[in-house]
Amino acid sequence: MEELLNKVPCRENQLNTLLDLFGEYDEPLPYSIFISGSMATSKTLCLTNVLDYLRFKYITIDCIECYSPKLIFETILDGLQDDDVDIKCDSLSDLTNYLVKFGYEKITYEPIIIIFDRAERLRAMDQTLMCTFLRLREFCNLNICTIFVTHLTYDNFFFKIGALEPIQIFFPNYTRDELFKIIITNHKTFIDEIINQHKIEEEIINELTEQQLFANFLNAFLSVFYRPCRDLIELRHMAQINFIKYCEPIIKEEIKASDVDRLWRHITPVLKSSLAHLYLRISDGKAASPSKENKTNFQTYNFENTLKEELMSTKTFAQSFELPYYAKFLLIAAYLASYNPPKEDKHLFMKNHGKQRKRLQQVKAKAKVTEKLSTQLGPKVFTLDRLLAIFYAILEEKIGLTSNLLAQIATLVELKLIAGSKEIDLDTAKYKCIVGYDFISAVAQTVGFNVSKYLYDFI
């Protein structure tokens, strides 16, 4: 158990639960297990380490890579076979027939685990698929268990037909103390990165390897980053970038490693600047040290110039957000709502909008100068119901209005792509898109949507 805790710290309760459920090698496994929790809470890491520790045979299926049932079936069968034999499996009945045959060939009661990572993708497939996987053990003569790993709760999986409810395990977000305990174990990795980037004397390297120095930095870092971000992977990445900046005045012998107050004053503006680029993975280069007040403006100027160089390609910047599919269409809808007159929505987004008579006023209005174009005058405020109406008009497929869809609007507000309230109120909520045409065109290109076709200025 101590070996597992060293590999997956701060997850003792979840490790014990999994060990109790799996039991010994010759004991029957549970039918199915549902593991949920936010991103980067060590769900898959914890599960695979337990299975490696118990030496159980397991097959991991990434539901993003295996985007069709056929790929899922063939991945399962490939994982069961010891030989490299290509097996074609087109349907669920073929899979169960193969598993039954495989069960009769096996003499021992070997435990087999099938892990569906990012299992929320299964909701887009046939409902009978997941219902069958939940009770797969009933259809074959195997000691088999299916495990679903996802960031959604089980309530988000709706089944029209009856489904066997799995055993549920929840992985909560790491607390601040737990994040401190985990990240501090990466101290040596961070030091190696600094040594690779700078030429440092032996005496200074000894100062940088002091555990207390890194602990002081982490306290300052988490005081700024813990509230807006609980993602361990992102926090570790941002900590590595900012620890290099924290150590720069020590390397240059401008500040002593023991002077905690001056190091705190040095790193505070740097941390606040880095907070603005959380999740964007944009490096800000080697900024000048702000240890002296007369250098602060110079550092800001340097930082802004470096950032402008990296953001010169708007397309690259837009794609760096990696927005979900529907969030991209929500952002496009927000842009169209901000830059189109509300009275033109029927003409732009409805197929049967009727004939429009050309009056003299409309002809004159079309002959706009550049200064009067809506795209040049700036974004206008729009209501939530108008945003959703445009969203459903430009989206080809039919989807329901779910809490997950509304939550993506709040995410766009947090990312500062649209301005407005994070609280979703269908009656009073108002928003405004604050990204430009080049940005929205780059986003629209990733989903194959032509923005100019739905802009009043370009008609």
Side-chain angles (χ1 to χ4, degrees):
M1 186 63 188
E2 188 175 346
E3 180 188 346
L4 283 174
L5 285 173
N6 290 333
K7 291 181 179 179
V8 193
C10 306
R11 283 289 179 242
E12 186 174 358
N13 292 335
Q14 287 75 16
L15 289 169
N16 285 325
T17 303
L18 288 170
L19 288 170
D20 292 341
L21 286 172
F22 292 139
E24 299 296 330
Y25 192 84
D26 56 348
E27 291 180 358
L29 293 169
Y31 273 57
S32 54
I33 300 171
F34 189 90
I35 298 175
S36 62
S38 301
M39 298 288 192
T41 48
S42 304
K43 301 182 292 294
T44 307
L45 179 67
C46 193
L47 177 60
T48 52
N49 273 283
V50 167
L51 294 173
D52 287 334
Y53 175 77
L54 295 172
R55 296 182 181 177
F56 282 8
K57 184 173 187 174
Y58 64 92
I59 304 158
T60 303
I61 298 168
D62 189 330
C63 294
I64 290 180
E65 293 179 0
C66 300
Y67 52 87
S68 69
K70 186 176 185 294
L71 287 172
I72 292 174
F73 302 152
E74 291 178 356
T75 305
I76 292 171
L77 295 175
D78 287 342
L80 291 174
Q81 299 291 334
D82 295 328
D83 303 326
D84 293 335
V85 181
D86 290 333
I87 301 175
K88 291 186 177 181
C89 185
D90 298 318
S91 65
L92 202 54
S93 60
D94 290 341
L95 175 68
T96 53
N97 290 334
Y98 274 117
L99 291 176
V100 169
K101 183 181 177 183
F102 184 79
Y104 283 124
E105 291 174 356
K106 285 285 181 182
I107 302 172
T108 59
Y109 200 56
E110 179 188 11
I112 299 170
I113 312 288
I114 301 175
I115 303 169
F116 294 93
D117 201 7
R118 299 169 186 170
E120 64 275 2
R121 293 302 182 106
L122 292 173
R123 298 186 305 165
M125 301 181 190
D126 189 356
Q127 285 193 355
T128 57
L129 189 68
M130 188 164 176
C131 291
T132 305
F133 284 141
L134 285 168
R135 58 201 319 157
L136 187 61
R137 195 163 145 204
E138 292 181 1
F139 300 103
C140 56
N141 189 31
L142 291 170
N143 185 20
I144 197 168
C145 172
T146 50
I147 302 177
F148 303 89
V149 182
T150 176
H151 65 274
L152 300 179
T153 60
Y154 186 67
D155 295 335
N156 292 95
F157 290 76
F158 175 74
F159 304 105
K160 291 181 181 178
I161 58 177
L164 180 69
E165 190 166 336
I167 298 168
Q168 297 179 41
I169 303 174
F170 178 68
F171 279 65
N173 286 326
Y174 288 111
T175 64
R176 178 172 171 167
D177 291 337
E178 288 172 342
L179 287 169
F180 181 91
K181 184 178 177 182
I182 294 169
I183 298 174
I184 205 168
T185 58
N186 299 112
H187 185 198
K188 189 179 182 301
T189 308
F190 288 11
I191 295 296
D192 292 340
E193 185 66 25
I194 293 173
I195 293 170
N196 289 335
Q197 294 187 17
H198 299 83
K199 292 181 180 180
I200 310 173
E201 296 178 4
E202 191 67 32
E203 185 180 347
I204 295 176
I205 292 175
N206 294 333
E207 291 180 358
L208 296 180
T209 52
E210 286 291 331
Q211 194 83 356
Q212 189 58 45
L213 178 73
F214 191 57
N216 292 337
F217 162 75
L218 274 185
N219 282 322
F221 173 80
L222 290 173
S223 67
V224 176
F225 278 83
Y226 178 69
R227 186 180 291 273
C229 178
R230 306 292 171 89
D231 189 317
L232 175 60
I233 297 170
E234 188 64 23
L235 285 173
R236 190 186 284 126
H237 170 73
M238 296 304 292
Q240 183 171 1
I241 291 172
N242 287 284
F243 184 61
I244 295 171
K245 299 173 187 174
Y246 185 78
C247 295
E248 278 180 358
I250 301 172
I251 296 167
K252 296 174 182 177
E253 299 184 7
E254 295 174 354
I255 302 176
K256 292 183 179 179
S258 57
D259 196 339
V260 180
D261 292 337
R262 288 188 67 191
L263 286 170
W264 164 261
R265 287 195 296 271
H266 157 73
I267 199 61
T268 301
V270 178
L271 291 175
K272 288 180 180 178
S273 298
S274 297
L275 189 62
H277 311 295
L278 191 66
Y279 294 109
L280 298 185
R281 296 297 174 105
I282 298 173
S283 62
D284 53 13
K286 297 179 181 179
S289 172
S291 56
K292 297 178 182 178
E293 290 182 7
N294 59 357
K295 289 188 179 179
T296 305
N297 293 333
F298 178 73
Q299 181 211 352
T300 307
Y301 176 77
N302 254 355
F303 180 78
E304 293 297 328
N305 277 353
T306 309
L307 186 60
K308 283 176 183 176
E309 287 175 8
E310 292 205 27
L311 301 187
M312 197 172 290
S313 172
T314 309
K315 184 176 179 181
T316 305
F317 181 52
Q319 290 174 346
S320 70
F321 278 90
E322 296 182 2
L323 293 170
Y325 181 75
Y326 294 129
K328 290 179 181 178
F329 275 98
L330 283 168
L331 182 59
I332 295 167
Y335 182 84
L336 295 174
S338 280
Y339 288 98
N340 282 326
K343 63 181 181 180
E344 297 295 334
D345 284 354
K346 182 179 178 181
H347 176 67
L348 289 168
F349 303 111
M350 289 184 66
K351 292 181 180 178
N352 301 317
H353 52 75
K355 292 184 178 179
Q356 193 174 26
R357 293 180 180 177
K358 288 187 177 181
R359 297 178 182 177
L360 182 61
Q361 290 180 350
Q362 291 175 335
V363 173
K364 288 181 179 179
K366 282 289 181 181
K368 297 177 182 178
V369 294
T370 307
E371 288 78 8
K372 290 186 178 181
L373 289 173
S374 296
T375 48
Q376 299 294 326
L377 292 173
K380 304 293 189 298
V381 175
F382 56 86
T383 57
L384 179 61
D385 57 348
R386 185 174 173 227
L387 169 66
L388 293 173
I390 295 173
F391 169 74
Y392 281 110
I394 63 176
L395 193 67
E396 293 182 357
E397 57 186 292
K398 293 181 180 180
I399 60 165
L401 182 60
T402 61
S403 58
N404 188 28
L405 189 67
L406 293 173
Q408 291 187 30
I409 299 174
T411 303
L412 293 174
V413 175
E414 286 182 10
L415 290 172
K416 297 180 181 179
L417 299 175
I418 61 175
S421 173
K422 294 180 185 177
E423 300 296 328
I424 304 298
D425 190 334
L426 293 172
D427 297 322
T428 61
K430 291 185 178 180
Y431 301 93
K432 181 166 65 174
C433 185
I434 52 179
V435 298
Y437 177 75
D438 292 337
F439 184 98
I440 211 71
S441 296
V443 172
Q445 190 178 359
T446 62
V447 291
F449 184 83
N450 186 2
V451 179
S452 60
K453 184 181 176 183
Y454 295 90
L455 278 173
Y456 181 66
D457 286 349
F458 295 103
I459 295 177

